[in-house]
Amino acid sequence: MPAAAAAAAVASDGTLYLCYQGADAHAHMAVSENQGLTWAYDEDVSGPVGVVNTVFPAAVAGDPDRAACAFLGSTTPGDYQAAGFTGTWQLYVAYTYD
């Protein structure tokens, strides 16, 4: 498995949101309120919808408590970089409500 990809975004109040591909190949999102010194609320945002492989995470943030994590995801398990991988990819977007 290659090194995980990540994307960060900063909300207008300085809150930092990180969208990244975890070691489990799922998309995760975490929050830092101290400029990245510590992280909280690390959530798997792809697993609950059955996505088991993710690539190309992107993050965007706006007003306080508003952020989104977009990623390409596949419900097909296995090594997505293998020549025989037959999964299809869809665009997913996870976002905060508060």
Side-chain angles (χ1 to χ4, degrees):
M1 192 70 60
V10 181
S12 61
D13 65 352
T15 302
L16 184 59
Y17 294 89
L18 182 68
C19 178
Y20 68 97
Q21 178 195 45
D24 58 2
H26 291 199
H28 290 256
M29 193 161 200
V31 180
S32 176
E33 295 176 338
N34 58 11
Q35 300 170 336
L37 294 175
T38 60
W39 294 91
Y41 313 112
D42 187 335
E43 295 289 331
D44 178 347
V45 296
S46 62
V49 294
V51 174
V52 295
N53 277 311
T54 64
V55 293
F56 304 119
V60 64
D63 290 337
D65 297 325
R66 301 282 186 232
C69 173
F71 53 91
L72 290 180
S74 176
T75 57
T76 304
D79 181 358
Y80 63 85
Q81 292 189 327
F85 184 73
T86 59
T88 57
W89 298 93
Q90 303 288 327
L91 177 64
Y92 292 85
V93 180
Y95 51 92
T96 64
Y97 285 105
D98 57 13

